[in-house]
Each structure stands twice: as C-alpha cells, then as structure tokens.
Amino acid sequence: MNSTSTQKRVVSRWALVLPVALLLQACAGTAPPADPAGAAARAKVQMPTGWRADAPAAESPLIDTGWWTAFQSPALERLVKEALGDSAELRIAYERIRQAEISLRQSGASRWPSVNASAGASRSRSSTAGVETTRESTNVGLSASYEVDLWGRVADSVRAGQASLRASQHDWQAARLSLLAGVAGQYFQWLGLSERVALAQANLERTERLLVIVESRLRNGVATPLEVSQQRSTLLSQRVSLLALQQQRTQSAAALALLLGRQPIGFTPEEYLSVSRDAATDFAALRVPELAPGLPMTLLTRRPDLAAAEAQLAAADANVDAARAALWPTASLSASTTLTSASLFSLADPTRGLSLGLSLAQSIFDGGRQRAQVQLSESQRVVLIENYGQAVRTAVKEVGDALGQAGYSQQQEDLQRELVAQAQASLRLAELRYREGSGDLMSLLDAQRSLFNAQDNLSVQRLARLQAVLDLYKALGGDWAAAPEV
C-alpha cells in the first residue's frame, strides 16, 4: 500500500472524529452556570423598602451627567475638567482595565489552534575505513494543535476574564466618582477656610479700631490701663487664630493640587475663581442642590463599587466551573506536515510527511491538587458573596447617614443665620453704648466675640451642608460615565 492511500485513509478517519469532537465541545461550552453567585448574594441581602420618613421620594435618583454643575460654580467645573485629564488615579485605573483586557485576550487565545512553523538545514561528515561521507539535509515543517474544550474549561476561563474586565471598568467608574467628589470637597473646604480667614481679618481690624478708641479713652481719663491690656490681649489672640486658619487654607490648597495632578508647592486655587478673585463671594454663591434618593433597590445598579463586586462574583462562578472542568479528561487534536530534502538549502525532490492525531489525557494521581483548587475556588466564591452582602448593607447605611446629615446641616445653617443676625444687632448696641460712655468694655468685647464666633460657625455649617450633599452624591453612585475603551 503506497503512502498516498494511507494518507487518504488517515484524513477520512480524521474527518469523522473532528465533527464529533467539536459537537461535544459546543454542547459542553455553552452550558449555563448551575448556581450564579450574584443571584445567591442578592437572595441573602434584605433591602429596605424606603429611606427616612422625611427623605424626598422618587422612583429613581435625580442625578444627571455632570452632577458637579448643580453647584453652579464655574471654578469647580474647570477644576473637574482638569482633574479628569491629569489625575494619576484615573490613569492607574485605566491601566488596570487594559490589564484585564489583555488577560481576557490571553484566555480567549486558548479557543484557537496553535500553529508552529519550523525550518532547518544541516551538513555532516563522517569517515569510515578512510572513506568520507557527506550528508546534507533541509527540512521545513508546519504543525498545529488544538485542545477540544469538551467540558467548557476554556469557555469558563474566558467568562471569568470577561467578568474581571467588567469589574475593572466599574472600578474605574468608582475611582472617577471618588476623585471628583474629592476635588469638589477639597475646593469647598478651601473656599470655606478662605471665608473664615476673611472673617478673622475683618474681626481683627475691628479689634484694632476698638483698641485705638480704648487708648484714647485712657488718655482722657475715662478708661483704665486694665481695659487697654485686655483689648491688646484680645488682639494678640485673634492674630494667633488667624495664622492657624491661614495655615489650614494652605494645606487645603496643597491637597487640592495633588488631586489635580499638579505640584502642591506654589499652587493657588485663586486662578480658578471668577474675575473678582474673591473666594468668600464664590463660597456664598454656591448653590446647594437638593437630591431625591430614590428607592434603596436602585443602589444595586447605580453604585459602581457594588457593580464591581457583582462582576467579581460572576468571575468567581466561572473560576469554580473551570476548576471543576479541569477534573475531567482533556482532548487534543494535532496535525503536522514536513518536507525533507537531501540537499543543503534546497527542497529539490523533497520527501513529504503528514501526521494526524487525537489524544486523551486524564490525571490519575496529583496528590489532590486539582480537587483542592476546586475547594479553594468555592471558598473564594463564598467570601465574595459575604463581602457583597456587607458592601450592600454599608451602602444603605451611607445613604441613610448622608440623608440625615443633609437634613441636620440645613437646619443648623438656618439657625446659625438667625444667630448671626442677633449677634450683629447686639454688637451695634454695645458699640453705641460704649461710645456714649454708658457701657463697659467687657460687654463690648463679649458682643464682638459672639459675632465673630457666630459668623465663623456659619461658615463651618455651610461647609458641612455642602459636604453632606457630596456624601449623598457618592452614596447614591453619582453619574455613571462610560468606562474608557482600551
């Protein structure tokens, strides 16, 4: 029987084996997971039917794309734009997306056959009984191998890679939300400290003017040296407090520079302000938006950290299935063809070779390594389910805390405004009485101190209210921007 007929018989047998193997692979690879971890995790989480009784109701959170524009601050919009372009945190998160996409390509490559080419040439000499013999040969080969995914192990690995890619995309969204909320919060803090510095400077100027009046009264024999000493002590104390506020404002500007990806030394947020360059004016002009939190169930689809946790659960499901499939035999197809010639660097009159093969392999004893891998994957899946449930409960708590703080801070700010108005009226009366000689210095100092404390506390309360709204934005998941394409 010649070689040509033999090759034909091999090919015909191979043609029968290949469709059967591919059919088995298709049936096994498309089987759905038996127990999705996401469904199991949701079943364990008891979501409340609503939020606080005094919270605004809505079927979905009223958060539009570009939520930071609701504060109506052009400076904040410029800061956010710069942060989105230059933040190191977002670049790191983007690279993690790239890594996940590359890992997915690596897993998907197992679905395709591997093809290798080889070529070589050799020349050798040998001598026998004084007769030299020269041997020359040239060969070219092409081989291909393919693992038939009978039990879906490769498909499960690809499914795990796809879920990991989704998780990294959600991580990017979470990093973006955290960055933008951090930029807004740090900018608000800098504005608040700037207003407090302006108030402290105005209070210092008022104290200096009063010191001039007290010294004049001392020269006229109306005031006492004790009153002058008390006023000077008050002046020095206010200067110390002003220095502390100025240092805090400098540190806040440096923290904002880090979020923007800029050098903290020499950074001045004043360049982002309006034409007036008045931080106190910009702080007072900030609009505090009102948010409707929606239903608690919407958190599962709005918060990127919860979406990332659910994607990790899907990856864990696929890893468990892949570990179980690894316990079954593996089937591989192989084919190779060669051309060999007895000439150096020439394929003249070559000898042809063709081989086809189907191999099955099953691990008989590995010390329990593969079964331990299955148990490890199942344990990791259980941990992720518990972490997911804890993350959901934490998210519900964060929304509830932010709602409570938003309502409380608004009431505090309203009451503090009334207190400032009363302190201003008291100071005017105390100054008038002191100038007319019917009032004492201690009453005037107390009225001055009360007004400054009331104004300073109002700035603190307004900042707390703005921060509460930011916390609510974060707790509700912010706006969902599409993850960047790799």
Side-chain angles (χ1 to χ4, degrees):
M1 183 178 296
N2 56 30
S3 61
T4 303
S5 61
T6 302
Q7 292 177 1
K8 289 182 178 179
R9 292 184 59 188
V10 171
V11 172
S12 61
R13 292 174 181 176
W14 185 257
L16 294 176
V17 172
L18 182 59
V20 174
L22 294 179
L23 179 61
L24 289 174
Q25 173 182 340
C27 294
T30 57
D35 184 18
R42 286 199 187 97
K44 279 194 169 188
V45 177
Q46 296 293 331
M47 296 295 292
T49 58
W51 302 108
R52 295 161 44 94
D54 56 347
E59 293 185 357
S60 60
L62 303 179
I63 303 179
D64 298 327
T65 302
W67 53 265
W68 53 90
T69 60
F71 294 95
Q72 297 182 0
S73 172
L76 177 59
E77 294 178 21
R78 289 193 292 270
L79 288 168
V80 166
K81 183 178 180 180
E82 182 173 338
L84 290 176
D86 297 331
S87 170
E89 295 181 11
L90 287 187
R91 289 196 295 269
I92 293 172
Y94 173 76
E95 287 302 318
R96 287 173 179 161
I97 294 178
R98 289 189 65 242
Q99 293 170 6
E101 198 273 338
I102 293 171
S103 298
L104 177 59
R105 290 206 304 265
Q106 288 178 334
S107 300
S110 300
R111 288 179 165 180
W112 301 94
S114 60
V115 180
N116 300 303
S118 62
S122 63
R123 182 176 184 178
S124 61
R125 291 184 179 181
S126 62
S127 177
T128 304
V131 179
E132 289 189 357
T133 303
T134 301
R135 297 178 181 274
E136 298 180 346
S137 66
T138 299
N139 63 82
V140 175
L142 185 66
S143 62
S145 61
Y146 178 66
E147 179 182 350
V148 182
D149 194 18
L150 293 177
W151 319 113
R153 182 186 62 82
V154 175
D156 291 331
S157 299
V158 172
R159 186 158 54 91
Q162 292 171 340
S164 297
L165 176 59
R166 292 197 303 272
S168 63
Q169 291 172 338
H170 295 318
D171 288 339
W172 178 89
Q173 292 166 332
R176 176 181 178 273
L177 175 60
S178 178
L179 170 68
L180 298 187
V183 169
Q186 203 63 52
Y187 176 62
F188 294 160
Q189 183 177 0
W190 179 83
L191 286 179
L193 287 169
S194 297
E195 184 180 66
R196 294 178 66 189
V197 167
L199 290 173
Q201 289 173 339
N203 189 51
L204 184 63
E205 294 173 358
R206 187 184 300 114
T207 303
E208 290 173 344
R209 291 194 302 268
L210 184 57
L211 177 61
V212 173
I213 296 175
V214 175
E215 290 174 341
S216 176
R217 290 169 62 90
L218 176 63
R219 289 192 297 268
N220 294 326
V222 179
T224 64
L226 177 59
E227 292 177 335
V228 175
S229 177
Q230 290 174 335
Q231 185 64 10
R232 287 176 178 172
S233 298
T234 301
L235 181 63
L236 292 175
S237 176
Q238 290 177 358
R239 286 175 178 171
V240 172
S241 300
L242 177 60
L243 288 176
L245 288 175
Q246 290 173 335
Q247 177 63 17
Q248 293 178 25
R249 184 177 62 174
T250 302
Q251 294 174 347
S252 179
L256 179 59
L258 289 179
L259 293 174
L260 297 177
R262 297 183 59 176
Q263 181 59 249
I265 303 299
F267 174 76
T268 55
E270 285 89 349
E271 62 186 89
Y272 295 91
L273 297 178
S274 58
V275 179
S276 64
R277 294 290 191 270
D278 188 354
T281 301
D282 281 26
F283 186 63
L286 287 173
R287 176 182 176 271
V288 182
E290 295 184 0
L291 289 179
L295 299 177
M297 188 60 67
T298 59
L299 288 182
L300 300 180
T301 56
R302 285 199 56 85
R303 283 186 53 133
D305 57 338
L306 298 184
E310 189 166 342
Q312 291 170 356
L313 283 175
D317 261 343
N319 287 330
V320 170
D321 293 338
R324 290 171 179 170
L327 298 175
W328 296 91
T330 59
S332 300
L333 307 177
S334 61
S336 64
T337 180
T338 58
L339 295 176
T340 305
S341 173
S343 302
L344 187 63
F345 301 114
S346 173
L347 291 177
D349 192 19
T351 301
R352 295 175 175 81
L354 174 66
S355 66
L356 301 172
L358 170 63
S359 63
L360 296 175
Q362 171 64 51
S363 175
I364 302 301
F365 178 76
D366 62 357
R369 179 181 60 84
Q370 290 182 331
R371 294 193 178 277
Q373 181 60 44
V374 173
Q375 295 172 352
L376 177 60
S377 299
E378 292 174 342
S379 177
Q380 292 172 343
R381 175 178 176 271
V382 172
V383 171
L384 288 175
I385 291 176
E386 295 298 331
N387 286 340
Y388 178 78
Q390 185 65 18
V392 172
R393 289 187 288 270
T394 302
V396 172
K397 177 184 179 298
E398 289 175 352
V399 175
D401 291 346
L403 283 171
Q405 184 61 32
Y408 172 76
S409 60
Q410 182 177 0
Q411 296 175 4
Q412 286 286 98
E413 184 180 354
D414 294 339
L415 293 174
Q416 194 65 36
R417 288 188 185 278
E418 296 180 7
L419 184 58
V420 169
Q422 293 296 327
Q424 289 173 338
S426 297
L427 180 60
R428 286 194 298 267
L429 292 175
E431 287 179 343
L432 180 61
R433 287 171 57 84
Y434 187 75
R435 289 178 184 274
E436 294 176 350
S438 59
D440 57 45
L441 179 62
M442 291 305 299
S443 298
L444 179 59
L445 292 179
D446 287 341
Q448 182 182 359
R449 188 180 304 110
S450 297
L451 175 59
F452 171 72
N453 290 336
Q455 291 174 331
D456 189 69
N457 288 334
L458 179 60
S459 296
V460 174
Q461 289 299 329
R462 181 166 177 78
L463 177 61
R465 186 181 174 191
L466 289 166
Q467 188 60 54
V469 174
L470 283 178
D471 291 341
L472 185 55
Y473 269 124
K474 286 183 61 178
L476 292 175
D479 66 310
W480 270 53
E485 295 183 358
V486 178

